[in-house]
Amino acid sequence: MNKALRPAVIAGNWKMNKTPSEAKKLVEELVPLVKDAGCTVVICPPFVDLSVALEATKGTNIKVGAQNCHYEKSGAFTGEVSASMLKEMGVEYVIIGHSERRTYFGETDVTVNKRTKAALAEGLKVILCVGETLEQREQGITAELVAMQTIIALNGVSAEEMKNVIIAYEPVWAIGSGKTATSAQANEVNAVIRATLAKLYGEAVADATTIQYGGSMNAANAAELLSQPDVDGGLIGGASLKPADFAAIVAAAK
Ligand code: 13P
């Protein structure tokens, strides 16, 4: 399948930024800037901002996602939020397995898999993050590592459920560092992920799956990254907090 037939998705991961009142202001500024987007636009604010974001995006083309969800429906999991809670609010997307979750909060490939399955079972769309550290890249194991992360995260996920999965390749060394992967590096690993999906689910599913790049993507480098045949969108951190910059990346995804 031609890249043009895959949905391009630009998603903003706000990370731990913006209070509810700040979130409302940011969304209100963003709405007019992306109203003619030629791609799917998603914002992923912190949990406490989701209500405000859902309200402020009502009737617009902006979709709302969370940054994580737990794998159990309810129970004694202090500080966690379940997929059914997000679903009932009207949240459509959820980021799973971000490298900051893996690095700082003990997330493993196995818990990423459990969270992915729970989110999909609830009907949420998952933005599943994979990516290597600098040490792993220098060791020459990027392809093997990212393929393995993908395989474990998708264990037990059906071909049908893959319609609701977006994969985000985020090299850890490029996140928040200002060191963007070159477009060739991004495309190479995205192609590895697509080949892995082909082995797991066949060519048709692999060709239909949106694979994003994330890591210091900004208004200046987005067009070049997004022009690559296997880069179908972006997961944006820092630049998603600036409406004009995020809108410029959205415009580059046309
Ligand atoms: P930056 O765009 O700030 O590098 O963050 C990328 C990221 O981690 C998005 O999930």
Side-chain angles (χ1 to χ4, degrees):
M1 192 199 277
N2 188 307
K3 167 185 165 122
L5 301 174
R6 284 192 285 273
V9 182
I10 299 294
N13 174 10
W14 292 10
K15 307 192 179 183
M16 195 174 74
N17 292 290
K18 305 295 173 185
T19 65
S21 62
E22 291 167 347
K24 183 168 187 283
K25 188 163 169 282
L26 203 169
V27 176
E28 284 170 357
E29 282 174 41
L30 187 62
V31 165
L33 299 180
V34 300
K35 69 177 186 350
D36 299 319
C39 64
T40 302
V41 181
V42 185
I43 55 167
C44 301
F47 287 130
V48 294
D49 297 342
L50 288 170
S51 288
V52 167
L54 286 162
E55 188 60 33
T57 54
K58 220 175 250 172
T60 77
N61 59 331
I62 302 176
K63 317 274 188 203
V64 176
Q67 297 173 15
N68 185 27
C69 74
H70 197 261
Y71 42 83
E72 294 293 345
K73 278 189 186 302
S74 62
F77 300 99
T78 302
E80 291 283 323
V81 167
S82 73
S84 57
M85 292 170 184
L86 297 174
K87 184 70 183 176
E88 188 180 310
M89 285 185 85
V91 168
E92 276 184 70
Y93 289 78
V94 62
I95 298 170
I96 302 282
H98 192 279
S99 67
E100 287 150 17
R101 300 277 333 152
R102 296 179 191 250
T103 303
Y104 305 130
F105 304 104
E107 201 79 68
T108 66
D109 287 327
V110 171
T111 58
V112 168
N113 172 242
K114 290 170 88 167
R115 290 178 199 259
T116 298
K117 284 193 290 193
L120 291 171
E122 217 43 72
L124 294 170
K125 294 186 171 70
V126 169
I127 300 176
L128 170 64
C129 301
V130 296
E132 82 288 2
T133 63
L134 185 59
E135 291 72 23
Q136 290 160 339
R137 174 160 283 265
E138 286 172 348
Q139 208 184 326
I141 58 170
T142 298
E144 289 84 350
L145 185 102
V146 169
M148 193 64 85
Q149 288 176 335
T150 305
I151 292 165
I152 299 173
L154 295 175
N155 183 28
V157 172
S158 69
E160 181 62 25
E161 286 175 314
M162 284 302 292
K163 288 187 183 126
N164 285 330
V165 175
I166 292 169
I167 302 199
Y169 166 53
E170 296 209 310
V172 179
W173 49 271
I175 295 175
S177 64
K179 280 191 221 146
T180 317
T182 64
S183 54
Q185 285 171 327
N187 194 64
E188 185 183 12
V189 182
N190 279 28
V192 167
I193 295 167
R194 201 176 308 285
T196 305
L197 296 180
K199 272 191 217 146
L200 293 174
Y201 298 105
E203 297 286 344
V205 168
D207 280 347
T209 303
T210 295
I211 306 180
Q212 300 172 317
Y213 166 79
S216 299
M217 196 190 265
N218 58 40
N221 61 27
E224 163 71 14
L225 286 158
L226 294 167
S227 71
Q228 297 301 304
D230 279 302
V231 179
D232 307 315
L235 184 55
I236 322 300
S240 72
L241 299 171
K242 298 177 199 139
D245 290 21
F246 189 62
I249 298 170
V250 166
K254 271 192 182 163

